[in-house]
Amino acid sequence: MFNLDRLVRENIKKLTPYSSARDEFKGEASVFLDANENSYGSPLTKWYNRYPDPLQWEVKKKISTIKGVEAESILLGNGSDECIDLLIRAFCEPALDQVIICPPTYGMYEVYAHINNVAVKAVPLTPQFQIDLEALEDAITANTKLIFLCSPNNPTANSLAREDVELVLNNFDGLVVLDEAYINFSRQRSFVPELIEYPNLVVMQTFSKAWGLAALRLGMTFASKEIIQVLNKIKPPYNINQVTQELVLTALNNLEEVNSMIVEIVKEREQLAIDLKNLNFVLEVYPSDANFLLVKVQDARGVYNYLKEKGIVVRNRSNVILCEGCIRITIGTEAENKVLMNALKQYST
Ligand SMILES: *Cc1c(COP(=O)(O)O)cnc(C)c1O
């Protein structure tokens, strides 16, 4: 049976969180002399002399209406990366607990586990890039607190089978962290509506990919209110700055524009996949539910270096498990994809 209390580290349970001036006084007032800000203003025209809302309620309310999740079930992080770090620090006892990752996958789960001195057990995906359910079951111990799953997965570009993710959710009594950074490009439905059914589900999304706001550093975590409360307790009080909060509110009012970019990117992805398959040194273009393609070529290092010479940078993934001979190509603009294809056509002749 799932028991959140059993998962939270003892020191976090006992922790008295920092109480900021903005936490202690909520309400209307005309004179704010409680936070040691500069009451005279700032060198900028905006009133950036004031600390921002520590819980970003305005942004969360807007996200809440778009995603159909209550604002209390949302945590915002300085990128998904901060969310990953908070999850590990809240639930994994250093030098005792472990997390499971399913490589090839996003590198930051492992990095943050190691920074926190938390053991990482790797259960590689199958050759079809799906969860190896038997190996996963064998890898789980009483100290396994988190399983990181990424769907659509980076760098393999595919979605994990929904039934497999459900099976893990139904049989694991730690937290299943599902990273949906690329969900907007996918044919699959998000697991966010499933939060009601699974108290052990944590879904992460980000403004860095489809939303086109990688520079703002804003990641979203969706989970039960109880899980979010634990994370709120340990996050830095003002982890999302005022400028980001304002800009993202503006962006959230431009959903149409984002959706039309997504349509365009998916269209370009399908065309690029067809074009790449026609090149004689391309061995495989893997199906993609993301804004990039994983491409197996005859000489990955050769292709990578050739493109670099031409001023085109792709990611060489040939040293990554199950991705031998592969490069990862982000979908560019129509013009950029043409430049790429022209260069690659010259490579093959
Ligand atoms: C790009 C990416 C992210 C985004 O991380 P941010 O810190 O939000 O920019 C998260 N997960 C995966 C798998 C990614 O590829």
Side-chain angles (χ1 to χ4, degrees):
M1 268 311 284
F2 180 75
N3 179 350
L4 183 62
D5 205 50
R6 187 192 65 84
L7 290 179
V8 183
R9 289 169 66 199
E10 280 307 316
N11 62 314
I12 304 298
K13 269 188 236 172
K14 289 192 200 121
L15 178 76
T16 308
Y18 176 73
S19 184
S20 67
R22 287 291 169 273
D23 285 322
E24 289 192 359
F25 179 83
K26 295 184 194 101
E28 297 298 315
S30 54
V31 182
F32 284 96
L33 304 175
D34 59 344
N36 296 348
E37 295 147 334
N38 184 339
S39 303
Y40 290 73
S42 76
L44 304 174
T45 49
K46 268 268 188 176
W47 283 80
Y48 288 128
N49 56 329
R50 299 297 177 188
Y51 280 103
D53 176 4
L55 291 169
Q56 312 98 22
W57 287 117
E58 251 194 284
V59 179
K60 285 180 185 170
K61 278 179 198 150
K62 190 82 207 180
I63 294 173
S64 164
T65 59
I66 293 175
K67 301 282 178 184
V69 189
E70 287 183 82
E72 291 80 7
S73 275
I74 305 172
L75 170 99
L76 297 179
N78 192 331
S80 306
D81 292 347
E82 185 179 34
C83 302
I84 297 166
D85 188 39
L86 290 174
L87 284 163
I88 293 172
R89 283 196 285 147
F91 299 107
C92 301
E93 195 60 37
L96 179 69
D97 290 334
Q98 67 160 21
V99 303
I100 291 179
I101 61 167
C102 298
T105 193
Y106 188 50
M108 291 308 281
Y109 317 133
E110 186 169 17
V111 170
Y112 276 119
H114 286 154
I115 290 171
N116 289 295
N117 196 23
V118 167
V120 177
K121 184 85 146 267
V123 178
L125 296 173
T126 66
Q128 290 74 41
F129 300 145
Q130 293 297 331
I131 304 171
D132 186 336
L133 290 165
E134 273 177 40
L136 184 61
E137 191 179 0
D138 290 344
I140 294 170
T141 72
N143 289 315
T144 308
K145 295 298 186 71
L146 308 176
I147 297 176
F148 284 98
L149 299 175
C150 187
S151 183
N153 187 40
N154 177 8
T156 60
N158 65 302
S159 295
L160 300 176
R162 203 171 180 89
E163 318 81 73
D164 292 357
V165 176
E166 285 167 355
L167 208 72
V168 178
L169 282 164
N170 281 320
N171 290 286
F172 178 56
D173 53 15
L175 297 181
V176 178
V177 183
L178 185 62
D179 188 342
E180 293 189 335
Y182 299 99
I183 192 69
N184 308 75
F185 306 106
S186 173
R187 285 156 275 232
Q188 301 292 320
R189 278 175 298 127
S190 166
F191 264 82
V192 164
E194 262 47 70
L195 285 167
I196 319 158
E197 252 186 87
Y198 299 106
N200 59 338
L201 173 61
V202 177
V203 180
M204 292 195 303
Q205 294 184 4
T206 179
F207 283 92
S208 297
K209 307 288 155 65
W211 283 88
L213 296 169
L216 292 194
R217 310 305 306 126
L218 195 61
M220 296 168 267
T221 298
F222 305 99
S224 71
K225 291 176 190 180
E226 292 76 18
I227 294 173
I228 296 299
Q229 252 166 26
V230 175
L231 300 174
N232 276 335
K233 198 172 165 185
I234 68 169
K235 79 174 185 66
Y238 303 111
N239 62 327
I240 310 299
N241 71 68
Q242 179 64 23
V243 184
T244 295
Q245 293 190 43
E246 286 172 12
L247 290 175
V248 114
L249 267 177
T250 309
L252 285 163
N253 288 324
N254 286 293
L255 197 57
E256 295 290 300
E257 201 178 324
V258 175
N259 283 336
S260 66
M261 284 196 289
I262 293 167
V263 169
E264 198 62 26
I265 291 166
V266 168
K267 199 182 91 200
E268 280 297 311
R269 177 185 77 198
E270 298 309 307
Q271 187 57 50
L272 192 60
I274 292 166
D275 294 345
L276 287 166
K277 281 176 194 164
N278 283 329
L279 300 170
N280 59 13
F281 62 94
V282 168
L283 304 176
E284 187 154 10
V285 179
Y286 293 91
S288 174
D289 261 349
N291 65 339
F292 59 87
L293 291 168
L294 186 71
V295 186
K296 184 170 260 184
V297 293
Q298 247 154 32
D299 173 15
R301 184 118 65 94
V303 174
Y304 173 83
N305 285 331
Y306 166 80
L307 287 174
K308 197 172 67 178
E309 289 298 308
K310 297 253 168 187
I312 302 167
V313 196
V314 297
R315 198 87 198 262
N316 183 2
R317 296 282 78 183
S318 45
N319 293 329
V320 172
I321 180 174
L322 296 176
C323 296
E324 293 81 11
C326 289
I327 54 174
R328 192 192 71 189
I329 305 174
T330 305
I331 308 304
T333 61
E334 189 179 359
E336 287 170 333
N337 300 333
K338 280 211 174 88
V339 171
L340 171 78
M341 279 311 301
N342 283 337
L344 288 174
K345 277 177 195 154
Q346 284 169 39
Y347 180 81
S348 56
T349 53

